[in-house]
Amino acid sequence: MVINKCNLMQSNLLKVGFPNAGKSTLLRAVSRARPRVASYPFTTRNPHVGVIEYEDYEQLSVADIPGLIRGAHLNRGLGYSFLKHIERCECLLFVIDLSLDEPWTQFTDLRYELEQYQKGLSELPHAIVANKMDLHKSKENLEQLLERVDIPVLPVSAKYRENVEPLLLFVRKVYDEVRLKKIASKDVNR
């Protein structure tokens, strides 16, 4: 479903990545949303929202925004149009294309863009989705990525829906933790 920008305020989870990292493919793998997918950059031109449904009937909304580019914090590309939605979500998934050379630089660059846009933004609860694990080079890069980052890394192949279930369980765990913190802070403020 294509949505207008104000509806992104309702997203529990937002996927951030560079063009062609597989964000839309991942949204298709975890929800019934059907954003357009193609093998060229900037296929996604409008935000999409999908719903992850769990067996206990809990539902989480997940937003897919178009790929960020280096310099987005300077309003390059669609910079501000989509960066502003990140501050409204509860959790970030950095979608990294592991088939590229030195994929850990994607994570570093994405965090830089978020921090330059608004200090502390990249510190929302987050994890890396190491996508395109179906490609040979990705397996080698995964080991190097794990050595270079100190946050959870969830290897998946969104295209073939491999390892999606552990990702969904992780997302639910983080969502539940965020929800409990919100409830606790409301109780303290009463």
Side-chain angles (χ1 to χ4, degrees):
M1 143 175 67
V2 176
I3 59 165
N4 70 34
K5 295 172 188 163
C6 64
N7 286 344
L8 279 179
M9 292 188 299
Q10 304 300 316
S11 292
N12 302 112
L13 176 69
L14 190 123
K15 296 181 289 83
V16 180
F18 287 116
N20 234 27
K23 297 177 301 301
S24 294
T25 304
L26 183 61
L27 182 62
R28 292 172 74 103
V30 301
S31 74
R32 292 183 183 158
R34 293 295 172 249
R36 190 170 64 157
V37 173
S39 61
Y40 53 85
F42 302 110
T43 307
T44 303
R45 296 187 181 194
N46 296 302
H48 293 266
V49 171
V51 176
I52 300 173
E53 298 177 3
Y54 291 93
E55 289 181 8
D56 65 352
Y57 303 106
E58 187 71 49
Q59 296 180 344
L60 306 182
S61 58
V62 56
D64 177 28
I65 61 171
L68 296 178
I69 63 170
R70 287 170 182 86
H73 72 280
L74 300 171
N75 206 22
R76 289 193 182 125
L78 296 172
Y80 295 161
S81 299
F82 295 111
L83 281 169
K84 66 183 177 185
H85 298 296
I86 296 170
E87 58 193 277
R88 296 183 189 135
C89 72
E90 298 171 335
C91 178
L92 294 174
L93 289 179
F94 291 95
V95 181
I96 304 298
D97 180 350
L98 270 194
S99 69
L100 300 177
D101 291 332
E102 300 182 350
W104 48 90
T105 61
Q106 295 171 62
F107 174 63
T108 305
D109 292 346
L110 288 167
R111 283 190 67 171
Y112 175 80
E113 291 299 329
L114 297 183
E115 284 302 308
Q116 293 302 307
Y117 175 72
Q118 180 181 332
K119 296 286 182 216
L121 196 55
S122 70
E123 296 306 318
L124 287 167
H126 59 280
I128 294 174
V129 176
N131 196 19
K132 303 189 182 183
M133 287 301 298
D134 51 296
L135 302 175
H136 179 68
K137 189 171 186 176
S138 297
K139 290 170 180 56
E140 298 167 18
N141 284 338
L142 177 61
E143 292 175 25
Q144 295 178 35
L145 175 66
L146 290 169
E147 293 171 3
R148 288 175 165 80
V149 299
D150 60 351
I151 67 167
V153 175
L154 303 151
V156 301
S157 169
K159 181 177 182 179
Y160 296 108
R161 297 176 188 229
E162 293 173 357
N163 293 330
V164 169
E165 190 63 29
L167 169 63
L168 295 176
L169 293 172
F170 175 83
V171 165
R172 177 62 188 270
K173 179 181 170 246
V174 171
Y175 168 75
D176 288 343
E177 290 170 359
V178 168
R179 188 172 57 174
L180 285 173
K181 286 180 185 176
K182 282 184 177 181
I183 291 169
S185 71
K186 284 181 184 177
D187 289 342
V188 168
N189 292 332
R190 285 185 185 181

